[in-house]
Amino acid sequence: MFQQILDPIAGSLVISALCAALPLVLLFVLLGVFKVKAPMAALAGLALSLVLAIVGWQMPVNQALSATAAGIFYGLFPILWILVNALWIYRLTVATPWFEVLGRTIRSISNDLRILSILIAFCFGALLESLAGFGAPVAISAAMLMAAGMKPLKSAVVSLLANTAPVAFGAMAAPIIALNGVTGLPLHDLSSMAGRQTPFIALIVPLLLVFIVDGRRGVKQTWPVALVAGVAFGLAQFVTSNYFAVELTDVVAAVVTVAAVLLMLKVWQPKEIVGVEGAVEGAPESAHAAVAVTAGSRGAGSGAGATAGSAAATTVPTDNTRPEPRQIWMAIAPYLIIIAVFSVAQLPFVKTWLGQVGSVTFAWPGLDITDSAGKPVAATKFKLDHLKATGTLLLFSGLLTMVLYKVTASQGLRIYRDTLVQLRWTIVTVTAVLGLSFVMNLSGQTTTLGFALASAGGFFAILSPLIGWIGVALTGSDTSSNSLFGQMQATAAEQTGLSPVLMAASNSSAGVMGKMLSLQNLAVAAAAVGLDGAEGTLFRKLIGWSLGLLALITVLIFLQSTPVLGWMVP
């Protein structure tokens, strides 16, 4: 048996905490300063955490390696199992004419760029985030906005800023599921808490988008539809995450928001129409070519870029004629299928059956660990959902989509293989980060950090969102940030008398404000609009918005940690 040591380095909690932070510091320095590719940086962090666990925290070698294997397996299943199958469904739609029909449907609704920024970047981007995530929404929506007539730089800024509110529940709630995996806190509580934070950001983002597109005039003339979009999205996010299924949060929110905006436009229109902003540099074909380059060059190192690039390379149509009703239904069919499959899985008798035969809990081989107080560490138990897993339900949804779209088995398998190849670097990054997270958690490094941070007392409620923001800004992934910092946030919260659920969820909700500044997303957006090398310009244009939104949600989280809004915590 291995018992965790709280202050193994020189008997000092401060020195031990500084040493425990070294793998994270190495990861961030390699990513942010030396611009090392994400997979290599993650592997380096994992290696250092192993050395510290064995030498510093005196963890037996076999248990340290077993902890690494547990983290890697958890990264593969359920996290990557969700991502692979979600992206496979998306690629199935791209391989048919129906994805272009979906884009044409959205663009045919209005020729006002302010309205299109809400429909394409906010609504359609959220729909893509719910399935693909990892950069794909930014690349696709930026290319579509440029094709609609928006200037390249503005298209990139709008798409990056819009990719905030849905991220905490993106890729079928992969970030929240990862948070549940590393903290052991109830999934429903984490989902509910995040669903009581991100909707407030959703209220603001559409207004910011129309301001970026058309300044004060844009807000003055289009605030009603922007407000409707924000309220619809936020309300749907809250209801779905709290009372339905966390995996469907963004799907439902995006669909509901599109419907609300369409109904709004039937009874209301802005006084003026802001259309094409002069000549579009590079034209749609150039954007198409630029996005195609992303997969082969800039994105190849991170996995995220590769995902976004190759996906977006097929989505810059120019036809804006409204499709027939039957075509529209066929275009949105995959998303309706996903909603139907997950809805069936939530039926009481189906949910009970899936829980009985579709899940198994077991002790991970080779791990026998107690914390510094002598209590067994919960993370040594592994819950394997096979039939009831989100990824498995997505696989079923993809098979039904194949039948509906008449995709042959050989073509479906080829697309699945291409999806795995496309995500190869993402797979390395995610598994390495989860391995790092499990080693730090099980060796006691995370607990040491948490106890040290707890010395901040009530101030930790303000520090917590900043930690999440830094994590996403540097790793480019809310899932990775939650895997790295989730347990630390929960531990520090327990020591300071704050709610672990609140602080863990805050890592995710506040972290997404940093996504627009991540190097991976900036590179994807720049390439998508044909402005390769403009990452610095995009960073400068977005840093203010990112910090402003971070400040707003930090105030909300701080109030939720006090009696003022404490009633909002599950």
Side-chain angles (χ1 to χ4, degrees):
M1 186 187 71
F2 165 63
Q3 183 171 5
Q4 295 176 349
I5 307 171
L6 195 60
D7 53 357
I9 311 299
S12 168
L13 181 63
V14 174
I15 296 175
S16 298
L18 290 174
C19 290
L22 288 178
L24 302 178
V25 172
L26 175 65
L27 176 64
F28 293 160
V29 168
L30 290 177
L31 281 172
V33 179
F34 296 102
K35 298 181 180 179
V36 173
K37 296 183 188 300
M40 299 301 105
L43 288 171
L46 171 59
L48 181 56
S49 69
L50 274 170
V51 172
L52 287 171
I54 296 168
V55 177
W57 272 255
Q58 302 171 32
M59 189 179 196
V61 174
N62 65 315
Q63 296 218 46
L65 295 176
S66 183
T68 305
I72 291 173
F73 186 82
Y74 187 80
L76 292 171
F77 201 99
I79 303 301
L80 287 164
W81 183 234
I82 296 170
L83 175 59
V84 169
N85 287 310
L87 188 57
W88 174 57
I89 294 176
Y90 166 70
R91 288 176 64 94
L92 284 174
T93 65
V94 173
T96 70
W98 299 113
F99 184 81
E100 192 278 331
V101 172
L102 182 61
R104 183 153 51 96
T105 301
I106 293 175
R107 296 193 308 277
S108 68
I109 295 169
S110 173
N111 59 352
D112 190 316
L113 290 179
R114 301 166 299 185
I115 305 298
L116 288 177
S117 70
I118 295 174
L119 282 170
I120 294 176
F122 187 67
C123 301
F124 190 48
L127 199 58
L128 293 173
E129 180 67 36
S130 70
L131 283 183
F134 292 86
V138 171
I140 295 166
S141 58
M144 290 180 69
L145 286 172
M146 186 175 170
M150 190 176 290
K151 289 181 180 179
L153 191 63
K154 190 172 289 185
S155 297
V157 171
V158 167
S159 298
L160 285 163
L161 183 59
N163 193 224
T164 48
V167 170
F169 297 98
M172 304 307 289
I176 301 297
I177 291 172
L179 197 59
N180 159 252
V182 298
T183 63
L185 297 170
L187 178 62
H188 182 263
D189 288 353
L190 293 171
S191 168
S192 299
M193 190 68 254
R196 300 174 192 186
Q197 294 171 335
T198 57
F200 292 96
I201 299 301
L203 287 173
I204 301 170
V205 169
L207 291 167
L208 297 182
L209 297 181
V210 297
F211 178 81
I212 290 173
V213 173
D214 195 35
R216 293 182 180 178
R217 182 182 65 177
V219 176
K220 183 178 180 181
Q221 293 185 355
T222 62
W223 69 264
V225 69
L227 193 60
V228 164
V231 170
F233 193 93
L235 188 60
Q237 230 184 17
F238 165 73
V239 171
T240 309
S241 61
N242 277 263
Y243 304 109
F244 191 37
V246 59
E247 298 90 351
L248 289 179
T249 299
D250 280 349
V251 177
V252 173
V255 171
V256 167
T257 307
V258 168
V261 171
L262 293 182
L263 289 173
M264 178 70 175
L265 293 175
K266 284 184 177 294
V267 298
W268 175 93
Q269 289 288 335
K271 292 182 179 179
E272 298 176 9
I273 300 296
V274 175
V276 177
E277 301 179 295
V280 179
E281 298 176 19
E285 290 77 14
S286 296
H288 187 291
V291 178
V293 170
T294 309
S297 57
R298 302 298 301 271
S302 65
T307 299
S310 55
T314 60
T315 56
V316 196
T318 55
D319 184 3
N320 293 340
T321 58
R322 187 173 182 78
E324 297 293 326
R326 177 186 172 278
Q327 292 180 313
I328 295 175
W329 282 110
M330 285 293 289
I332 65 174
Y335 308 101
L336 298 179
I337 288 173
I338 290 172
I339 292 174
V341 169
F342 277 84
S343 298
V344 170
Q346 292 301 313
L347 294 175
F349 64 94
V350 178
K351 189 174 183 178
T352 301
W353 181 80
L354 286 174
Q356 292 173 347
V357 304
S359 178
V360 60
T361 301
F362 59 93
W364 186 263
L367 292 180
D368 185 8
I369 301 173
T370 62
D371 62 20
S372 56
K375 298 178 181 178
V377 175
T380 58
K381 297 285 187 180
F382 200 94
K383 184 180 180 182
L384 176 63
D385 294 330
H386 38 91
L387 282 180
K388 66 177 290 188
T390 301
T392 305
L393 296 179
L394 283 172
L395 179 64
F396 292 151
S397 302
L399 294 173
L400 292 174
T401 300
M402 283 178 59
V403 173
L404 180 66
Y405 282 174
K406 298 180 180 178
V407 177
T408 64
S410 60
Q411 186 181 8
L413 285 172
R414 178 180 56 78
I415 294 173
Y416 203 98
R417 181 202 64 201
D418 292 344
T419 301
L420 289 172
V421 172
Q422 184 178 316
L423 288 174
R424 62 192 182 279
W425 292 113
T426 300
I427 291 171
V428 174
T429 301
V430 171
T431 52
V433 167
L434 265 297
L436 163 64
S437 173
F438 270 59
V439 170
M440 289 189 65
N441 290 345
L442 292 172
S443 67
Q445 295 172 58
T446 300
T447 304
T448 299
L449 271 173
F451 271 80
L453 287 171
S455 62
F459 182 71
F460 183 73
I462 296 177
L463 186 63
S464 173
L466 179 62
I467 293 171
W469 180 85
I470 292 172
V472 178
L474 289 174
T475 66
S477 166
D478 199 35
T479 301
S480 297
S481 178
N482 285 348
S483 300
L484 286 172
F485 296 134
Q487 180 60 38
M488 183 186 71
Q489 297 267 26
T491 300
E494 289 175 349
Q495 297 305 311
T496 54
L498 298 169
S499 165
V501 170
L502 172 62
M503 294 297 98
S506 298
N507 190 82
S508 188
S509 301
V512 300
M513 309 312 159
K515 193 171 179 70
M516 67 182 82
L517 301 179
S518 69
L519 291 175
Q520 296 95 315
N521 258 19
L522 291 173
V524 166
V529 297
L531 294 176
D532 198 36
E535 292 87 349
T537 303
L538 290 172
F539 181 89
R540 289 189 293 273
K541 286 186 173 292
L542 288 162
I543 181 67
W545 297 114
S546 180
L547 291 174
L549 290 172
L550 174 64
L552 285 175
I553 200 166
T554 298
V555 171
L556 172 66
I557 291 166
F558 175 74
L559 292 176
Q560 288 176 333
S561 72
T562 69
V564 177
L565 293 180
W567 52 270
M568 297 180 69
V569 180

